[in-house]
Short mmCIF file of all heavy atoms in Angstrom, two decimals:
data_model
loop_
_atom_site.label_atom_id
_atom_site.label_comp_id
_atom_site.label_asym_id
_atom_site.label_seq_id
_atom_site.Cartn_x
_atom_site.Cartn_y
_atom_site.Cartn_z
N ALA A 4 0.81 -1.18 -0.01
CA ALA A 4 0.02 0.02 0.03
C ALA A 4 0.79 1.25 -0.02
O ALA A 4 0.33 2.35 -0.31
CB ALA A 4 -0.94 -0.04 1.21
N THR A 5 2.15 1.12 0.27
CA THR A 5 2.98 2.29 0.48
C THR A 5 3.87 2.53 -0.75
O THR A 5 4.30 3.64 -1.08
CB THR A 5 3.89 2.06 1.67
OG1 THR A 5 3.04 1.88 2.83
CG2 THR A 5 4.74 3.36 2.02
N ILE A 6 4.27 1.44 -1.45
CA ILE A 6 5.26 1.58 -2.53
C ILE A 6 4.47 1.73 -3.91
O ILE A 6 3.30 1.27 -4.04
CB ILE A 6 6.21 0.39 -2.66
CG1 ILE A 6 5.41 -0.92 -2.95
CG2 ILE A 6 7.01 0.34 -1.36
CD1 ILE A 6 6.36 -2.10 -3.18
N PRO A 7 5.08 2.48 -4.92
CA PRO A 7 4.42 2.48 -6.17
C PRO A 7 4.18 1.03 -6.72
O PRO A 7 4.97 0.12 -6.54
CB PRO A 7 5.42 3.22 -7.00
CG PRO A 7 6.22 4.03 -5.98
CD PRO A 7 6.27 3.18 -4.84
N ASP A 8 3.11 0.93 -7.46
CA ASP A 8 2.69 -0.37 -8.06
C ASP A 8 3.70 -0.90 -9.10
O ASP A 8 3.81 -2.10 -9.24
CB ASP A 8 1.37 -0.25 -8.74
CG ASP A 8 0.80 -1.54 -9.18
OD1 ASP A 8 0.58 -2.43 -8.31
OD2 ASP A 8 0.56 -1.74 -10.36
N ASP A 9 4.53 -0.05 -9.68
CA ASP A 9 5.39 -0.54 -10.74
C ASP A 9 6.83 -0.73 -10.41
O ASP A 9 7.71 -0.95 -11.23
CB ASP A 9 5.26 0.47 -11.96
CG ASP A 9 5.64 1.89 -11.60
OD1 ASP A 9 5.90 2.18 -10.38
OD2 ASP A 9 5.76 2.70 -12.57
N VAL A 10 7.16 -0.51 -9.11
CA VAL A 10 8.58 -0.81 -8.68
C VAL A 10 8.78 -2.15 -8.20
O VAL A 10 7.86 -2.88 -7.84
CB VAL A 10 8.95 0.24 -7.55
CG1 VAL A 10 8.67 1.67 -7.94
CG2 VAL A 10 8.22 -0.13 -6.27
N GLU A 11 10.08 -2.56 -8.21
CA GLU A 11 10.40 -3.91 -7.72
C GLU A 11 10.39 -3.97 -6.28
O GLU A 11 10.85 -2.93 -5.55
CB GLU A 11 11.82 -4.38 -8.24
CG GLU A 11 12.21 -5.77 -7.70
CD GLU A 11 13.41 -6.29 -8.28
OE1 GLU A 11 14.10 -5.60 -9.14
OE2 GLU A 11 13.77 -7.50 -7.91
N VAL A 12 9.90 -5.05 -5.58
CA VAL A 12 10.00 -5.29 -4.25
C VAL A 12 10.36 -6.76 -4.04
O VAL A 12 10.00 -7.62 -4.83
CB VAL A 12 8.63 -4.93 -3.54
CG1 VAL A 12 7.59 -5.80 -4.02
CG2 VAL A 12 8.83 -5.02 -1.94
N ILE A 13 11.06 -6.96 -2.96
CA ILE A 13 11.41 -8.33 -2.60
C ILE A 13 10.95 -8.63 -1.17
O ILE A 13 11.25 -7.81 -0.27
CB ILE A 13 13.00 -8.62 -2.62
CG1 ILE A 13 13.50 -8.34 -4.05
CG2 ILE A 13 13.33 -10.00 -2.27
CD1 ILE A 13 15.09 -8.20 -4.12
N PHE A 14 10.29 -9.74 -1.00
CA PHE A 14 9.90 -10.16 0.39
C PHE A 14 10.74 -11.36 0.72
O PHE A 14 10.87 -12.37 0.01
CB PHE A 14 8.46 -10.53 0.43
CG PHE A 14 7.44 -9.39 0.23
CD1 PHE A 14 6.85 -9.11 -0.97
CD2 PHE A 14 7.30 -8.49 1.35
CE1 PHE A 14 5.99 -8.00 -1.01
CE2 PHE A 14 6.52 -7.41 1.25
CZ PHE A 14 5.79 -7.18 0.06
N ALA A 15 11.40 -11.25 1.86
CA ALA A 15 12.20 -12.36 2.41
C ALA A 15 11.35 -13.04 3.49
O ALA A 15 11.16 -12.51 4.55
CB ALA A 15 13.50 -11.80 3.09
N TYR A 16 10.84 -14.20 3.17
CA TYR A 16 10.01 -15.01 4.10
C TYR A 16 10.96 -15.72 5.00
O TYR A 16 11.63 -16.56 4.68
CB TYR A 16 9.05 -15.98 3.37
CG TYR A 16 8.32 -16.97 4.37
CD1 TYR A 16 7.55 -16.34 5.35
CD2 TYR A 16 8.47 -18.22 4.25
CE1 TYR A 16 6.89 -17.16 6.24
CE2 TYR A 16 7.86 -19.09 5.11
CZ TYR A 16 7.06 -18.57 6.15
OH TYR A 16 6.39 -19.37 7.04
N GLU A 17 10.92 -15.23 6.37
CA GLU A 17 11.73 -15.79 7.29
C GLU A 17 11.01 -16.09 8.51
O GLU A 17 10.74 -15.16 9.49
CB GLU A 17 12.93 -14.77 7.73
CG GLU A 17 13.84 -14.43 6.52
CD GLU A 17 14.96 -13.52 7.03
OE1 GLU A 17 14.70 -12.53 7.64
OE2 GLU A 17 16.12 -13.91 6.82
N PRO A 18 10.43 -17.37 8.67
CA PRO A 18 9.80 -17.68 9.97
C PRO A 18 10.66 -17.35 11.13
O PRO A 18 11.77 -17.88 11.14
CB PRO A 18 9.48 -19.18 9.83
CG PRO A 18 9.64 -19.46 8.32
CD PRO A 18 10.68 -18.49 7.77
N VAL A 19 10.18 -16.59 12.06
CA VAL A 19 11.10 -16.15 13.16
C VAL A 19 11.70 -17.42 13.88
O VAL A 19 12.82 -17.38 14.27
CB VAL A 19 10.36 -15.24 14.15
CG1 VAL A 19 11.17 -14.79 15.28
CG2 VAL A 19 9.81 -14.03 13.34
N TRP A 20 10.85 -18.42 14.07
CA TRP A 20 11.31 -19.61 14.80
C TRP A 20 12.38 -20.41 14.03
O TRP A 20 13.06 -21.29 14.66
CB TRP A 20 10.11 -20.48 15.11
CG TRP A 20 9.25 -20.72 13.87
CD1 TRP A 20 8.15 -20.08 13.53
CD2 TRP A 20 9.36 -21.85 12.88
NE1 TRP A 20 7.58 -20.61 12.42
CE2 TRP A 20 8.26 -21.71 12.01
CE3 TRP A 20 10.28 -22.89 12.82
CZ2 TRP A 20 8.12 -22.54 10.97
CZ3 TRP A 20 10.12 -23.71 11.71
CH2 TRP A 20 9.08 -23.58 10.74
N ALA A 21 12.53 -20.15 12.70
CA ALA A 21 13.53 -20.80 12.02
C ALA A 21 14.88 -20.10 11.91
O ALA A 21 15.89 -20.72 11.45
CB ALA A 21 13.07 -21.12 10.54
N ILE A 22 14.92 -18.77 12.27
CA ILE A 22 16.21 -18.06 12.23
C ILE A 22 17.10 -18.61 13.31
O ILE A 22 16.79 -18.64 14.49
CB ILE A 22 15.90 -16.57 12.45
CG1 ILE A 22 14.98 -16.01 11.34
CG2 ILE A 22 17.12 -15.81 12.49
CD1 ILE A 22 14.54 -14.60 11.60
N GLY A 23 18.29 -18.96 12.85
CA GLY A 23 19.32 -19.52 13.75
C GLY A 23 19.12 -20.95 14.22
O GLY A 23 19.78 -21.43 15.09
N ALA A 24 18.04 -21.63 13.70
CA ALA A 24 17.75 -22.99 14.04
C ALA A 24 18.66 -23.95 13.42
O ALA A 24 19.44 -23.60 12.51
CB ALA A 24 16.28 -23.30 13.66
N SER A 25 18.62 -25.16 13.86
CA SER A 25 19.51 -26.21 13.27
C SER A 25 19.11 -26.54 11.86
O SER A 25 19.98 -27.06 11.07
CB SER A 25 19.57 -27.44 14.09
OG SER A 25 18.29 -28.02 14.33
N GLU A 26 17.77 -26.48 11.53
CA GLU A 26 17.30 -26.86 10.21
C GLU A 26 16.37 -25.72 9.67
O GLU A 26 15.68 -25.06 10.43
CB GLU A 26 16.55 -28.14 10.26
CG GLU A 26 17.34 -29.37 10.65
CD GLU A 26 18.27 -29.87 9.56
OE1 GLU A 26 18.07 -29.41 8.42
OE2 GLU A 26 19.34 -30.45 9.95
N PRO A 27 16.33 -25.55 8.40
CA PRO A 27 15.28 -24.59 7.83
C PRO A 27 13.92 -25.11 8.05
O PRO A 27 13.64 -26.26 8.42
CB PRO A 27 15.56 -24.54 6.36
CG PRO A 27 16.28 -25.90 6.07
CD PRO A 27 17.06 -26.29 7.33
N ALA A 28 12.89 -24.24 7.87
CA ALA A 28 11.51 -24.63 7.98
C ALA A 28 11.15 -25.74 6.96
O ALA A 28 11.80 -25.88 5.94
CB ALA A 28 10.56 -23.42 7.72
N ASP A 29 10.18 -26.50 7.31
CA ASP A 29 9.76 -27.68 6.47
C ASP A 29 9.41 -27.11 5.03
O ASP A 29 8.80 -26.09 4.84
CB ASP A 29 8.51 -28.42 6.95
CG ASP A 29 8.09 -29.48 6.19
OD1 ASP A 29 8.72 -30.54 6.14
OD2 ASP A 29 6.99 -29.29 5.47
N ALA A 30 9.91 -27.86 3.97
CA ALA A 30 9.75 -27.36 2.63
C ALA A 30 8.37 -27.19 2.26
O ALA A 30 7.98 -26.21 1.58
CB ALA A 30 10.45 -28.39 1.61
N ASP A 31 7.47 -28.12 2.60
CA ASP A 31 6.02 -27.98 2.24
C ASP A 31 5.41 -26.74 2.85
O ASP A 31 4.65 -26.04 2.22
CB ASP A 31 5.23 -29.18 2.70
CG ASP A 31 5.51 -30.47 1.81
OD1 ASP A 31 6.04 -30.25 0.65
OD2 ASP A 31 5.24 -31.57 2.25
N HIS A 32 5.80 -26.46 4.10
CA HIS A 32 5.33 -25.24 4.76
C HIS A 32 5.74 -24.02 4.04
O HIS A 32 4.93 -23.11 3.71
CB HIS A 32 5.85 -25.27 6.19
CG HIS A 32 5.48 -24.01 6.87
ND1 HIS A 32 4.29 -23.85 7.62
CD2 HIS A 32 6.12 -22.87 7.12
CE1 HIS A 32 4.16 -22.70 8.15
NE2 HIS A 32 5.34 -21.99 7.86
N VAL A 33 7.05 -23.95 3.67
CA VAL A 33 7.51 -22.79 2.96
C VAL A 33 6.85 -22.53 1.57
O VAL A 33 6.44 -21.46 1.23
CB VAL A 33 9.09 -22.94 2.77
CG1 VAL A 33 9.59 -21.75 1.89
CG2 VAL A 33 9.83 -22.90 4.10
N VAL A 34 6.73 -23.68 0.86
CA VAL A 34 6.10 -23.47 -0.44
C VAL A 34 4.63 -23.13 -0.38
O VAL A 34 4.12 -22.25 -1.04
CB VAL A 34 6.20 -24.88 -1.23
CG1 VAL A 34 5.33 -24.86 -2.55
CG2 VAL A 34 7.64 -25.22 -1.63
N ASN A 35 3.88 -23.71 0.60
CA ASN A 35 2.47 -23.34 0.69
C ASN A 35 2.33 -21.83 1.15
O ASN A 35 1.46 -21.19 0.71
CB ASN A 35 1.81 -24.30 1.70
CG ASN A 35 1.62 -25.72 1.11
OD1 ASN A 35 1.31 -25.84 -0.10
ND2 ASN A 35 1.67 -26.68 2.01
N VAL A 36 3.13 -21.46 1.99
CA VAL A 36 3.08 -20.04 2.57
C VAL A 36 3.41 -19.10 1.46
O VAL A 36 2.77 -18.07 1.15
CB VAL A 36 3.92 -19.84 3.77
CG1 VAL A 36 3.82 -18.32 4.19
CG2 VAL A 36 3.33 -20.70 5.00
N THR A 37 4.60 -19.41 0.82
CA THR A 37 5.11 -18.38 -0.24
C THR A 37 4.20 -18.34 -1.48
O THR A 37 4.16 -17.29 -2.10
CB THR A 37 6.57 -18.64 -0.52
OG1 THR A 37 6.68 -20.03 -0.92
CG2 THR A 37 7.48 -18.40 0.66
N LYS A 38 3.59 -19.33 -1.82
CA LYS A 38 2.67 -19.30 -2.92
C LYS A 38 1.50 -18.40 -2.66
O LYS A 38 1.06 -17.62 -3.49
CB LYS A 38 2.13 -20.69 -3.23
CG LYS A 38 3.11 -21.61 -4.08
CD LYS A 38 2.40 -22.86 -4.43
CE LYS A 38 3.33 -23.72 -5.36
NZ LYS A 38 2.72 -25.01 -5.84
N GLU A 39 1.05 -18.38 -1.42
CA GLU A 39 -0.06 -17.45 -1.04
C GLU A 39 0.44 -16.06 -0.88
O GLU A 39 -0.22 -15.11 -1.27
CB GLU A 39 -0.65 -17.88 0.31
CG GLU A 39 -1.88 -17.16 0.74
CD GLU A 39 -3.06 -17.15 -0.28
OE1 GLU A 39 -3.16 -18.25 -0.93
OE2 GLU A 39 -3.74 -16.20 -0.40
N LEU A 40 1.69 -15.88 -0.43
CA LEU A 40 2.23 -14.58 -0.37
C LEU A 40 2.37 -13.95 -1.77
O LEU A 40 2.09 -12.76 -2.05
CB LEU A 40 3.72 -14.62 0.25
CG LEU A 40 3.70 -14.99 1.68
CD1 LEU A 40 5.21 -15.07 2.14
CD2 LEU A 40 2.89 -14.11 2.58
N ARG A 41 2.69 -14.77 -2.76
CA ARG A 41 2.80 -14.35 -4.15
C ARG A 41 1.43 -13.88 -4.68
O ARG A 41 1.34 -12.92 -5.44
CB ARG A 41 3.46 -15.44 -5.08
CG ARG A 41 3.97 -14.84 -6.32
CD ARG A 41 4.67 -15.90 -7.18
NE ARG A 41 5.82 -16.54 -6.61
CZ ARG A 41 7.00 -15.97 -6.57
NH1 ARG A 41 7.17 -14.77 -7.00
NH2 ARG A 41 7.99 -16.62 -5.92
N ARG A 42 0.43 -14.59 -4.30
CA ARG A 42 -0.95 -14.23 -4.76
C ARG A 42 -1.32 -12.87 -4.28
O ARG A 42 -2.05 -12.16 -4.91
CB ARG A 42 -1.98 -15.32 -4.26
CG ARG A 42 -1.86 -16.63 -4.97
CD ARG A 42 -2.98 -17.52 -4.67
NE ARG A 42 -2.79 -18.86 -5.15
CZ ARG A 42 -2.38 -19.89 -4.49
NH1 ARG A 42 -2.07 -19.70 -3.11
NH2 ARG A 42 -2.23 -21.03 -5.00
N MET A 43 -0.80 -12.49 -3.07
CA MET A 43 -1.18 -11.14 -2.49
C MET A 43 -0.66 -10.03 -3.41
O MET A 43 -1.13 -8.93 -3.44
CB MET A 43 -0.54 -11.04 -1.07
CG MET A 43 -1.08 -11.97 -0.12
SD MET A 43 -0.27 -11.74 1.54
CE MET A 43 -0.82 -13.24 2.38
N ALA A 44 0.43 -10.35 -4.22
CA ALA A 44 1.01 -9.30 -5.00
C ALA A 44 0.79 -9.45 -6.52
O ALA A 44 1.42 -8.89 -7.32
CB ALA A 44 2.52 -9.25 -4.68
#
């Protein structure tokens, strides 16, 4: 809502609980969440 519609933006999806963890978030979880994030834009 704040940036112009025609500029590039990058969203870094970082589940807070996965930052600094021994393993990344489950792949299915990441794909399902990020696909929906992409729909928002």
Side-chain angles (χ1 to χ4, degrees):
T5 306
I6 62 173
D8 186 62
D9 58 350
V10 305
E11 178 173 3
V12 63
I13 302 171
F14 289 104
Y16 173 57
E17 299 185 307
V19 178
W20 48 269
I22 298 173
S25 58
E26 298 288 337
D29 179 75
D31 286 342
H32 177 86
V33 173
V34 170
N35 286 328
V36 173
T37 52
K38 280 185 174 181
E39 185 60 32
L40 297 178
R41 199 178 297 282
R42 290 190 188 98
M43 296 178 194

